[in-house]
Amino acid sequence: PMNAMMKLKVVFIVTTFSAVAKNQDLGNVCDETFISTSSSNSKNGTFAAPVFLNPDGYVRQCTYNFRGLPNERVMIQFEEFNLLGTPPECYHEHIDIFTEIENPDKQPLIETPFGGRFCGQNIPRLRISLFQSMAMVFLTDRKNITEGRFTGFYEFFPDEKYRRIGSPDMKAEGRSSLCSFEIHGSQQKNGELYSPTYPGTYPKNLKCWYKFVGEPGQRIRLEFRDFDLFYGGAHCPFDRVTIYDGPDNLADKIGTYCGQMRNLVVYSTKNMLYVSFTTLKRTAPVFNRGFFGLYEFSENYVKLDFIQKSDAEHIRGTECDQKILSQKESRGQVFSPNYPFPYQADIVCRYFIYGMQDSQNLERVVLTFEKFEIPRDLNNRKTDRCTDGYVKVYIQGQEEEHKYNKHDYEFCGQRTPSEIHSPGPRLVILFKAGSTQGPGFKANYRFETEYQIPGTPAPDGSCKFEYKTDSKLDGRFNSPRHPQNYPNNINCTYLFWSKPSQQVMLVFDHFRVRADNVSQETNSSLGNWKAYGREMCNEDYVEIFTIINPNERQLLGRYCSTSSPGPVVSPRGTVGLELFLHTDGNAVYSGFKGRYMFIEAQSPFGECGGNITDAENGIIKSPNFPEKYTSTQRDYGSKVCHWYVYAKPGHKILLYFSDFEVEGNPADRGCPAAALRVWPWRDVARTPIELCGDSLDQYKEVVSDSNVLRLSFYLADKAVGAKGFKAIYTEVKETTSCTGPGEFLCKNTGHCISRSLQCNHVRNCGVDDSSDEDECLKETEVNEFMLVALGLGITSLVAIGLIIYCRRYRRKKYIRREHPMLPAHAHFHTCESIDTITV
């Protein structure tokens, strides 16, 4: 595209010149030539647009030539500019500028590099010739040309500042020889550096280089006071300045720069520096100035031996800045320059201390000062502010936006600063030496893994956090870096310590811990749980313990996958809860987030439980059963209920559920809002059976290992409510013999229960065994037949009695009819009806 545009421009210029030849043959009477001579009057002047009439509207061309003496350059600057047309077409009126004319007598303008076309009202930027000559061509087809079209001034000046930057590099060829130099510190310790036509628009298709060579022990400082290049993107693919920390472009690169730069200062590490300036060949309308800089060779710049080579690295291009990157929880030391001897006055050094930050690692920085003495301003002792030398510390990433005025800490004087912990992986120290020298500082740093877990961290930086009522009664906890993925190969401990008058409750709001190798076949022993227990959760997992005392704890359960633990409450009389997270070296998930609450110690049975003894059977129901166990009312918030069922010695406890509906789904999301835990085990350290959902599978019926069984029902404040549960418990004799007079042997389950429980309308043999009620159904049928027979017998006796009575009464009737006081129709219909029936 660039070549095509160049061809288009050339064709357009040729066409324009041809048009001039065709449309007017009056000669270029408006041409002007400005020549520099030995006379001082010729060194500068003004130029303006020609004045003439063009009634026929011919295309007129006027050429302005500026010719300097050898070793001179020419500069032109427009003061007024008001031409017709709109860039870049400029159809009716424009000025073409040519600044790279090497041989004006032998080289036609059409063959010289094109410097740009201008029209409209935007004044062209200042232009300086690359050689001793410059030209501009004015073309117009307007009928009336006045001096107000454009005006400006010109100046011829010596090109020493461009030629004498250094010794010409004899290897440079062509146009590069104009701007390629070797600059030796032994010949000139300081000087100025310019792009080839600064401050005018720099040429295209140019390659320059500047090689700085100092004496042993010297360093080079290069400061750009003005820097204005075309900006083609972050990586500067077009016009650019590249600086190398060595003798040529094979040395380590300090940086590549383009666009507009401010405060660009570069230091060499040793005694050599190489700068290249490259512009591309193109026709784009780019008119940037280039650069102007100052350089200096000196032995007085900071010596870099105070930087610890084992773990720190000097930042190339700076005087004394250093970068320290973590090597995974590494540690080290930093010093002020020249330590332990006094530092130099009026220097500034920065220390960038960066911890690890990636998908698997996140660290913070801990900084401890061991020695510190930076003198205060002797003329300003009344203020606590550090107005001369100081150390500033930044822990919020201010350096990314160069906001060094917004520091987090500032220190000076002789008082040793306290230890500093960064909230993230970045910590920056800025040391500014004042006008008074001092001993400086020595500091230790270390990188600690940043887990982003609320709580009190362990002093040693391990993943261990404590939660006590002294600080907060409630709060949040989470897996490392949640909601981001937790790291690999980590063990984290969370300790929730309660006072004797308190208990602590944990509720999980999010739970996703990796369990890739859980197979459905192995899951069959878990009922509805997708993953639960130490047998299943052996990759990443969460364990919850009851802390009996500081030296003893008891496992409540191990959880993984998406099966969230139910609410957990530390039992009364214990000292708290412990949560433990383990991850291996494989894939990672988002982990967990939960809440903790320290609550007043409740009854040993909670709010709705109890102690059950001396009962051969009974029923345990959830609060408010069969209505919802919770509602939107305040009184139905989080609840805890404990039932302790005791059977006679030598007996076990059979428990089954006739109704069960508790919110949650063990196979999908666990039991985060409500859970029923059952401890049927003789071994008190064994984890309980945790139940929720609406299907229990093999846990519909549970038999205790001993004569004690415990049930605990936990409700979180976020529970929305469900029907709950109804459980039936029965004492079961712990023997294979069941032949005693007061014993009943269940046909299907083989349990031996008390005969007194037979026919009590409750299936005491188990959920699928009704043998203790079956015989009761047959006796009931016999009793019903007996009642029916008894009823028929009574009815028959009543009927016979009535018949006898009516017969006797019939005899009296005839006698009664013969009485004269009785009406002829008086009689008893009932007896007549009976009599009729008997007949």
Side-chain angles (χ1 to χ4, degrees):
M2 289 188 176
N3 293 334
M5 292 179 67
M6 179 63 77
K7 291 178 181 178
L8 180 62
K9 291 284 186 181
V10 172
V11 170
F12 186 78
I13 295 172
V14 173
T15 305
T16 303
F17 289 160
S18 301
V20 172
K22 287 182 179 180
N23 290 291
Q24 58 91 16
D25 55 0
L26 303 177
N28 292 336
V29 294
C30 58
D31 289 354
E32 289 195 56
T33 301
F34 304 90
I35 300 176
S36 174
T37 65
S38 58
S39 171
S40 59
N41 295 331
S42 66
K43 299 303 181 183
N44 54 66
T46 60
F47 60 87
V51 178
F52 59 84
L53 296 176
N54 184 22
D56 296 326
Y58 291 123
V59 177
R60 300 295 301 274
Q61 171 184 309
C62 303
T63 302
Y64 293 71
N65 288 296
F66 302 86
R67 296 194 178 186
L69 295 173
N71 299 326
E72 281 188 339
R73 302 276 187 99
V74 58
M75 180 270 293
I76 64 169
Q77 175 72 64
F78 288 89
E79 294 182 311
E80 296 182 34
F81 197 82
N82 186 18
L83 302 185
L84 290 178
T86 303
E89 291 82 7
C90 301
Y91 288 123
H92 297 282
E93 199 170 46
H94 62 259
I95 285 180
D96 292 337
I97 298 179
F98 302 86
T99 61
E100 302 174 43
I101 306 171
E102 188 171 1
N103 295 305
D105 296 325
K106 299 180 181 179
Q107 188 178 22
L109 288 181
I110 194 66
E111 296 179 4
T112 63
F114 183 54
R117 174 165 292 178
F118 304 91
C119 63
Q121 296 182 347
N122 292 328
I123 299 179
R125 286 191 174 185
L126 180 144
R127 307 303 286 262
I128 294 177
S129 64
L130 183 61
F131 301 97
Q132 65 192 71
S133 298
M134 183 188 300
M136 63 180 189
V137 179
F138 172 54
L139 284 89
T140 182
D141 61 4
R142 294 191 63 176
K143 295 182 178 182
N144 183 19
I145 309 301
T146 63
E147 188 176 276
R149 309 311 295 160
F150 62 84
T151 61
F153 63 89
Y154 67 90
E155 180 182 356
F156 296 100
F157 63 92
D159 65 352
E160 289 183 356
K161 71 176 185 179
Y162 302 107
R163 284 190 302 108
R164 296 186 179 179
I165 291 176
S167 304
D169 191 335
M170 304 309 296
K171 297 178 182 178
E173 299 178 354
R175 288 151 39 105
S176 296
S177 62
L178 298 173
C179 55
S180 298
F181 302 94
E182 284 192 4
I183 305 164
H184 293 267
S186 59
Q187 299 174 1
Q188 188 172 354
K189 282 202 167 186
N190 53 64
E192 298 177 342
L193 184 69
Y194 301 91
S195 55
T197 57
Y198 180 87
T201 299
Y202 58 76
K204 303 178 183 65
N205 192 25
L206 192 65
K207 184 171 181 60
C208 308
W209 57 86
Y210 309 86
K211 181 178 180 180
F212 296 86
V213 181
E215 293 293 299
Q218 287 184 334
R219 295 177 65 190
I220 302 109
R221 180 182 187 271
L222 178 59
E223 177 185 356
F224 289 93
R225 294 290 181 90
D226 188 18
F227 193 97
D228 179 29
L229 269 62
F230 171 71
Y231 182 75
H235 300 288
C236 302
F238 301 113
D239 302 347
R240 59 190 178 272
V241 167
T242 306
I243 305 177
Y244 300 88
D245 194 14
D248 50 37
N249 58 3
L250 299 179
D252 292 319
K253 184 189 297 184
I254 292 175
T256 299
Y257 311 94
C258 59
Q260 294 183 336
M261 303 289 296
R262 294 183 178 181
N263 303 319
L264 179 57
V265 180
V266 175
Y267 290 83
S268 66
T269 300
K270 296 183 179 180
N271 66 325
M272 303 190 84
L273 194 70
Y274 187 85
V275 180
S276 69
F277 173 47
T278 304
T279 67
L280 296 188
K281 180 179 180 180
R282 64 186 185 281
T283 57
V286 177
F287 308 108
N288 300 83
R289 295 186 301 275
F291 58 82
F292 159 59
L294 303 175
Y295 66 85
E296 182 179 9
F297 297 87
S298 177
E299 300 86 356
N300 296 324
Y301 296 128
V302 175
K303 301 293 186 295
L304 301 178
D305 52 5
F306 76 100
I307 299 176
Q308 304 300 297
K309 301 297 188 297
S310 58
D311 49 16
E313 178 185 356
H314 170 239
I315 299 176
R316 295 187 183 278
T318 67
E319 181 177 11
C320 52
D321 293 356
Q322 59 181 289
K323 175 175 60 178
I324 300 171
L325 302 181
S326 170
Q327 305 297 321
K328 185 67 175 177
E329 299 186 346
S330 56
R331 59 183 61 211
Q333 293 181 321
V334 290
F335 306 90
S336 56
N338 207 37
Y339 188 88
F341 303 105
Y343 52 76
Q344 300 164 251
D346 300 316
I347 60 172
V348 176
C349 300
R350 294 176 296 181
Y351 306 70
F352 298 89
I353 307 174
Y354 289 165
M356 301 180 73
Q357 184 178 20
D358 54 40
S359 60
Q360 287 298 313
N361 301 281
L362 181 64
E363 293 181 323
R364 64 177 179 174
V365 187
V366 179
L367 181 69
T368 306
F369 287 91
E370 187 175 328
K371 304 283 186 179
F372 191 91
E373 185 175 350
I374 298 176
R376 291 180 175 273
D377 186 358
L378 300 178
N379 299 321
N380 197 9
R381 294 183 177 180
K382 295 182 179 181
T383 179
D384 292 333
R385 296 183 59 189
C386 302
T387 57
D388 194 20
Y390 53 76
V391 165
K392 291 182 177 180
V393 180
Y394 307 82
I395 59 176
Q396 304 293 336
Q398 296 95 323
E399 75 281 3
E400 290 187 328
E401 299 179 2
H402 302 281
K403 293 182 178 179
Y404 288 102
N405 60 324
K406 297 183 178 181
H407 54 274
D408 297 292
Y409 300 93
E410 183 180 56
F411 308 109
C412 60
Q414 297 181 348
R415 184 177 178 180
T416 303
S418 57
E419 188 173 79
I420 297 173
H421 295 254
S422 70
R426 296 170 173 270
L427 185 146
V428 176
I429 303 172
L430 187 149
F431 168 59
K432 178 185 179 299
S435 56
T436 304
Q437 292 179 303
F441 66 86
K442 173 185 178 182
N444 301 304
Y445 67 85
R446 69 177 185 272
F447 296 102
E448 294 181 349
T449 298
E450 174 53 61
Y451 303 101
Q452 294 184 333
I453 297 174
T456 304
D460 59 1
S462 62
C463 189
K464 185 176 182 180
F465 295 83
E466 292 189 341
Y467 306 83
K468 297 182 179 180
T469 58
D470 297 334
S471 54
K472 290 180 67 176
L473 289 177
D474 57 77
R476 292 192 172 274
F477 62 93
N478 54 261
S479 56
R481 304 178 64 180
H482 182 84
Q484 305 297 322
N485 291 344
Y486 51 73
N488 289 127
N489 299 315
I490 195 170
N491 294 307
C492 292
T493 301
Y494 305 71
L495 297 171
F496 302 87
W497 299 105
S498 59
K499 294 180 178 179
S501 61
Q502 293 176 328
Q503 293 172 272
V504 59
M505 183 176 193
L506 305 183
V507 177
F508 289 83
D509 295 324
H510 173 87
F511 194 88
R512 191 163 184 260
V513 177
R514 187 180 66 85
D516 294 339
N517 296 327
V518 174
S519 64
Q520 196 61 39
E521 293 182 1
T522 314
N523 280 357
S524 60
S525 63
L526 299 178
N528 290 330
W529 282 87
K530 178 180 179 181
Y532 174 77
R534 288 184 168 176
E535 179 183 353
M536 301 304 306
C537 300
N538 48 34
E539 297 167 284
D540 299 349
Y541 56 81
V542 168
E543 288 185 329
I544 301 176
F545 297 87
T546 297
I547 306 177
I548 309 299
N549 57 60
N551 300 317
E552 182 182 1
R553 60 181 187 167
Q554 182 175 318
L555 179 66
L556 179 67
R558 177 183 286 192
Y559 306 85
C560 59
S561 187
T562 57
S563 300
S564 171
V568 181
V569 178
S570 61
R572 183 185 177 105
T574 60
V575 296
L577 295 173
E578 176 182 332
L579 188 149
F580 177 74
L581 169 67
H582 167 80
T583 70
D584 61 17
N586 296 320
V588 291
Y589 284 177
S590 56
F592 59 83
K593 178 180 68 174
R595 293 172 286 134
Y596 67 89
M597 292 147 280
F598 290 100
I599 58 178
E600 291 185 7
Q602 300 177 346
S603 159
F605 313 115
E607 300 177 58
C608 48
N611 217 14
I612 302 172
T613 59
D614 300 327
E616 294 181 330
N617 80 316
I619 297 174
I620 298 174
K621 296 184 289 186
S622 58
N624 212 36
F625 182 87
E627 302 298 327
K628 283 188 174 182
Y629 48 71
T630 187
S631 71
T632 56
Q633 299 178 12
R634 187 176 182 87
D635 294 339
Y636 288 87
S638 58
K639 283 182 179 293
V640 180
C641 307
H642 304 293
W643 292 272
Y644 298 87
V645 184
Y646 294 90
K648 294 188 292 289
H651 288 73
K652 297 181 179 180
I653 300 165
L654 167 66
L655 179 79
Y656 74 88
F657 295 90
S658 61
D659 295 275
F660 193 91
E661 185 180 327
V662 176
E663 58 194 282
N665 185 346
D668 180 23
R669 57 189 177 91
C671 309
L676 176 67
R677 296 189 177 95
V678 181
W679 282 265
W681 324 118
R682 188 183 302 273
D683 181 4
V684 295
R686 191 171 173 183
T687 58
I689 301 169
E690 190 161 335
L691 305 173
C692 66
D694 54 12
S695 175
L696 296 178
D697 290 343
Q698 77 271 31
Y699 290 134
K700 288 181 180 179
E701 182 176 300
V702 178
V703 179
S704 66
D705 291 346
S706 66
N707 66 327
V708 180
L709 182 139
R710 172 188 163 191
L711 294 86
S712 293
F713 186 47
Y714 301 88
L715 287 178
D717 53 2
K718 65 178 180 177
V720 297
K723 183 178 180 180
F725 63 87
K726 177 181 177 182
I728 298 165
Y729 64 89
T730 303
E731 276 190 352
V732 177
K733 187 177 180 181
E734 191 175 355
T735 180
T736 56
S737 172
C738 190
T739 57
E743 297 174 345
F744 177 84
L745 179 64
C746 299
K747 292 183 179 180
N748 296 334
T749 60
H751 297 314
C752 184
I753 64 175
S754 172
R755 185 168 291 277
S756 64
L757 301 178
Q758 190 178 13
C759 303
N760 64 350
H761 306 293
V762 177
R763 292 186 177 184
N764 295 289
C765 285
V767 65
D768 295 322
D769 189 346
S770 60
S771 59
D772 60 322
E773 300 296 321
D774 289 344
E775 298 296 331
C776 301
L777 290 175
K778 292 178 181 179
E779 291 176 3
T780 302
E781 291 174 0
V782 171
N783 292 335
E784 288 177 353
F785 285 123
M786 290 177 64
L787 290 173
V788 171
L790 180 61
L792 290 174
I794 294 173
T795 303
S796 299
L797 291 174
V798 171
I800 293 170
L802 285 173
I803 291 170
I804 295 171
Y805 173 79
C806 288
R807 285 184 178 276
R808 290 179 180 178
Y809 189 78
R810 191 177 186 84
R811 294 189 189 101
K812 291 180 181 182
K813 176 181 177 183
Y814 294 110
I815 299 171
R816 195 174 169 187
R817 280 184 179 178
E818 294 175 357
H819 198 287
M821 296 300 292
L822 291 174
H825 61 275
H827 58 276
F828 293 96
H829 298 284
T830 303
C831 289
E832 289 181 353
S833 300
I834 295 173
D835 185 60
T836 303
I837 295 171
T838 58
V839 174

